[in-house]
Amino acid sequence: MRIRTLPAAVATAALFSSVVLTTAGPAAADTSVPISVGDVSDTVVDGAHQHLYISGDSTISVVGYNGKVLSKLTGLPQVSDLQLSPDGSTLYAAVTGADKIVAFDTATLTQTAEYPTGSGTAPRWIALTEGRIWFGYGDQWDSGLGGIDLSTDPAAVTLDLAGDHDFATTPRLFADPANPTTLVALDPGISSGPIIVYDISTGTPVIRVAADEGGFYRDGALTPDAQSIVVAGPGNRAVTEYRLSDLQMVHQYPVKDEPETVSVAPDGTVAATALDTENTGDTYVFPGGADAPASVRNLSDSWMPWGGHSTAWSADGSKLFVLTGSSDFRQLQTVTEPRKYVTALTVDAPATGTRGKTLTVKGTLTTGLKLPAGTPLNVVRTDLLSPAGKSLGVKALGTNGTFSFTDAPPAGSKVRYTVSYTGDAAHTASSASDTVTVPRATPALTLTNNKKTYTYGKNVVFTAHLGTTYSNRTVEIWADPYGADKPNKLLKTGRTDTHGNLSATVTMSRDTAVTVVFKGDARYAGRTVKSTAYAHVKTASSLSKYYRTGTIGSTHYRYYHKNTDAVLTTTMTYYKGRKERLDLQVYSGGRWYTTYSDYFSLGTSGKSVVNLGHPGSSGVRARVRTSYIDPSSGDNVNTTTYGSWNYFYFSS
């Protein structure tokens, strides 16, 4: 259930490594990665193979240090507690739902043995000593302590080894080669549940000492010398260490909320997690021991998982692995500098400022282990003049963890002040920033030809004029013809001339929105100005089947016989779905009267042919025209264009 003390030679190397970590350069950043495991019963670290073994959901997940699930050992109903043999070659697992304990080769991940513990025993917790597996089994008052002697063939299973204690809940067990004659049991699920220390020197457990320390122990871990046990509880706000020789309290490691898990590194550093209902900090590391402040991290915004061992040190004690989140959103948190105190910077700059005027930036640097006044902080200003950042030098931390400095921002727009603390042997690095909005002046910007109308196909020059700016004299001119089939197009980009002008030509085949864009500079804001110009369609119409031409008054007419149909052919700029409107008028009593008006679709060539018919009587004067009406002609890409009248006369 825990990482046990390593063999002596390995433990020495681990302790040496932990010292080196405090003097080396910065470690890799902490990581948080999603991990595809569900409920968690236990977590064990295999340093030799760089694996985490995580039990839960009837599966043991074999996980790399990067959070990737490498393999799943399945078919293990209600698998719970895990133990790694002292040499790291074998992983033992209590398979509660199958009444057995199984063993896996850690090199091949294949099962090498299984040890049935008896029908209905439901073994849940295990501990290893030389040649034996101890297991806590049963449920509530039917719980007990059992042992498996691995020196016999087959291995001999013995139940009812609890001695004079009647367990109220399945006992949690702890053992370590550093104290080979000792087995520790917790009666965890009842308020009067004691801690029991057994002497196992004869192979049969004998109670050496027992004490009621408040019960409801959620987790536990032996110290590296196996002379003490650290338990999550009793009580809601402490992780407590008890000496095994007499079960006297040695230390209390305070946490703010209900403790959930505990893990002890090879050098004795205690780490614990708390439920953290107020989201103020969930992971505690005590690098200076119980009498020094804890380094507190808030690894998750959710409550920490409960009911399983989900916190473990790496085998060398350099990293701390913490599982957070719920079964459907589990995260593997890797704390790379667990013994360092977390620092948190805040930066508070004014919401707005004035370019060139002094403003004051304030902030705090907080940490569990107070930093001295004068601690250097690096300040960088990022703005339009220094997009990569400009150092404002080093500022000193005040006596109460606060700091302030002044600056006169030389540029407008968003000005960001970033304050950084580089960290030291005992503190993590941190950084924070805040942004000031510094208004920029609005430049003069105009564009010609707004709301003007042009004949179809005319080349029109649009001239942009830019007033005073600081450093940027470049503008862009864009043309966006009406109609979804024509994209907005950049016509020209460049610096304005000595008069502040830049021009571009648009061929007016459609209504067009022409836009000039100035993107701004450090002192003048960006600005966009638009002119919308309108274009007529190109249209022409002609009559056919007349027999001669002539004038009536000063107007030119086509002459038709009274029984001959007049035919009008129209050609107009084509657009998908476009129609031309035909208006027919007859002259009577000195006035023209509209007798017919309707819309006719254009072919893809832009042509429309309409038979106007004949009156059957002579002396009829008429006229006809075709027009594009925006938007009644089916679109709005051009402006309304009226065609010329065609005059015709029906004679005898």
Side-chain angles (χ1 to χ4, degrees):
M1 195 172 72
R2 311 290 166 264
I3 301 172
R4 302 308 180 191
T5 302
L6 302 174
V10 181
T12 301
L15 287 169
F16 179 75
S17 298
S18 69
V19 173
V20 171
L21 280 173
T22 63
T23 58
D30 295 350
T31 60
S32 175
V33 296
I35 180 172
S36 56
V37 299
D39 292 331
V40 176
S41 294
D42 197 11
T43 305
V44 167
V45 176
D46 178 355
H49 299 101
Q50 302 280 285
H51 289 164
L52 300 172
Y53 302 113
I54 302 173
S55 62
D57 296 333
S58 299
T59 299
I60 299 175
S61 298
V62 183
V63 181
Y65 280 8
N66 61 358
K68 182 179 180 181
V69 177
L70 306 174
S71 180
K72 284 184 178 286
L73 309 179
T74 58
L76 304 169
Q78 300 175 46
V79 61
S80 52
D81 202 18
L82 303 175
Q83 287 290 332
L84 199 61
S85 63
D87 63 3
S89 65
T90 304
L91 176 70
Y92 294 92
V95 187
T96 306
D99 299 324
K100 64 183 179 181
I101 295 166
V102 297
F104 294 92
D105 186 309
T106 56
T108 64
L109 299 178
T110 57
Q111 184 175 318
T112 57
E114 67 174 49
Y115 308 101
T117 56
S119 177
T121 52
R124 187 177 178 190
W125 308 104
I126 55 178
L128 305 179
T129 59
E130 184 66 33
R132 279 185 168 79
I133 304 172
W134 304 97
F135 61 95
Y137 66 90
D139 183 39
Q140 297 187 12
W141 292 102
D142 291 327
S143 301
L145 173 63
I148 303 174
D149 187 349
L150 302 179
S151 65
T152 64
D153 190 14
V157 177
T158 306
L159 302 178
D160 299 323
L161 296 176
D164 293 336
H165 181 69
D166 185 11
F167 281 99
T169 55
T170 310
R172 274 184 152 171
L173 304 177
F174 304 85
D176 195 289
N179 191 355
T181 65
T182 299
L183 176 69
V184 183
L186 304 180
D187 199 344
I190 188 171
S191 61
S192 59
I195 301 174
I196 303 170
V197 181
Y198 288 98
D199 185 332
I200 54 171
S201 58
T202 64
T204 299
V206 176
I207 295 176
R208 183 183 297 157
V209 60
D212 178 0
E213 300 296 352
F216 292 127
Y217 314 107
R218 291 188 172 273
D219 200 6
L222 294 176
T223 56
D225 60 4
Q227 299 301 311
S228 294
I229 187 169
V230 184
V231 297
N236 288 337
R237 306 197 182 278
V239 172
T240 311
E241 179 181 342
Y242 298 96
R243 188 168 53 231
L244 297 184
S245 60
D246 54 10
L247 291 181
Q248 292 298 301
M249 186 180 74
V250 179
H251 298 293
Q252 274 197 339
Y253 298 85
V255 298
K256 187 176 180 181
D257 202 349
E258 180 179 305
E260 295 296 331
T261 66
V262 62
S263 186
V264 181
D267 67 351
T269 303
V270 172
T273 63
L275 190 60
D276 193 26
T277 56
E278 297 179 358
N279 198 29
T280 56
D282 48 45
T283 302
Y284 293 72
V285 178
F286 295 86
D291 297 328
S295 174
V296 183
R297 289 168 171 82
N298 197 34
L299 300 182
S300 173
D301 290 333
S302 303
W303 290 8
M304 293 295 278
W306 62 85
H309 180 70
S310 55
T311 305
W313 289 91
S314 61
D316 64 0
S318 64
K319 297 181 178 67
L320 183 66
F321 301 107
V322 182
L323 292 169
T324 63
S326 58
S327 60
D328 56 351
F329 189 69
R330 189 75 67 199
Q331 295 283 119
L332 174 63
Q333 315 279 350
T334 303
V335 182
T336 58
E337 296 180 315
R339 292 170 182 79
K340 286 191 174 184
Y341 287 84
V342 177
T343 62
L345 269 166
T346 63
V347 177
D348 183 18
T352 59
T354 302
R355 190 186 62 78
K357 300 293 185 181
T358 298
L359 54 80
T360 300
V361 180
K362 301 177 181 180
T364 61
L365 176 59
T366 58
T367 177
L369 185 63
K370 186 177 179 180
L371 284 161
T375 296
L377 304 175
N378 298 311
V379 179
V380 172
R381 181 186 64 223
T382 305
D383 56 20
L384 292 175
L385 288 175
S386 304
K390 176 182 176 60
S391 174
L392 300 184
V394 175
K395 311 299 179 182
L397 187 67
T399 55
N400 56 355
T402 63
F403 62 87
S404 67
F405 59 89
T406 59
D407 183 52
S413 192
K414 300 293 185 181
V415 180
R416 186 173 72 249
Y417 292 95
T418 301
V419 181
S420 301
Y421 168 62
T422 58
D424 59 22
H427 297 87
T428 63
S430 59
S431 180
S433 62
D434 198 11
T435 300
V436 181
T437 298
V438 178
R440 291 179 288 171
T442 301
L445 184 64
T446 59
L447 183 63
T448 58
N449 302 327
N450 188 37
K451 296 184 179 180
K452 291 184 178 181
T453 301
Y454 298 95
T455 58
Y456 179 87
K458 182 176 179 60
N459 291 327
V460 178
V461 176
F462 288 79
T463 299
H465 177 76
L466 177 65
T468 301
T469 61
Y470 173 60
S471 60
N472 183 14
R473 298 300 299 168
T474 297
V475 296
E476 299 173 353
I477 299 177
W478 294 77
D480 188 8
Y482 279 35
D485 59 328
K486 297 289 186 181
N488 192 21
K489 181 180 179 181
L490 178 63
L491 298 180
K492 184 180 284 188
T493 181
R495 291 177 59 86
T496 58
D497 62 19
T498 55
H499 301 290
N501 298 328
L502 184 73
S503 298
T505 300
V506 177
T507 300
M508 295 297 297
S509 60
R510 298 185 181 186
D511 296 350
T512 303
V514 181
T515 304
V516 57
V517 178
F518 170 65
K519 293 186 175 179
D521 57 29
R523 297 183 182 179
Y524 285 81
R527 189 176 177 190
T528 298
V529 172
K530 181 171 73 173
S531 288
T532 301
Y534 305 101
H536 289 298
V537 298
K538 184 178 182 181
T539 183
S541 60
S542 62
L543 290 165
S544 60
K545 295 192 176 183
Y546 55 91
Y547 69 91
R548 76 177 181 89
T549 63
T551 59
I552 301 176
S554 60
T555 304
H556 189 76
Y557 278 79
R558 268 71 173 170
Y559 280 73
Y560 287 84
H561 295 296
K562 63 182 180 181
N563 291 320
T564 300
D565 290 345
V567 176
L568 183 72
T569 300
T570 300
T571 302
M572 184 179 289
T573 309
Y574 178 74
Y575 186 78
K576 184 177 180 181
R578 177 170 287 181
K579 300 175 182 180
E580 53 98 355
R581 192 181 79 182
L582 185 148
D583 296 313
L584 179 64
Q585 291 184 346
V586 174
Y587 188 78
S588 176
R591 294 179 57 189
W592 289 99
Y593 293 93
T594 299
T595 59
Y596 182 85
S597 182
D598 204 355
Y599 287 87
F600 294 89
S601 297
L602 297 174
T604 55
S605 63
K607 282 191 174 184
S608 173
V609 179
V610 180
N611 189 330
L612 302 177
H614 61 276
S617 59
S618 60
V620 177
R621 293 165 60 181
R623 65 180 183 179
V624 65
R625 71 176 178 185
T626 56
S627 305
Y628 167 82
I629 308 299
D630 175 14
S632 300
S633 286
D635 62 78
N636 69 337
V637 302
N638 287 91
T639 195
T640 295
T641 308
Y642 293 98
S644 299
W645 289 105
N646 288 276
Y647 291 83
F648 56 106
Y649 177 72
F650 289 94
S651 62
S652 60

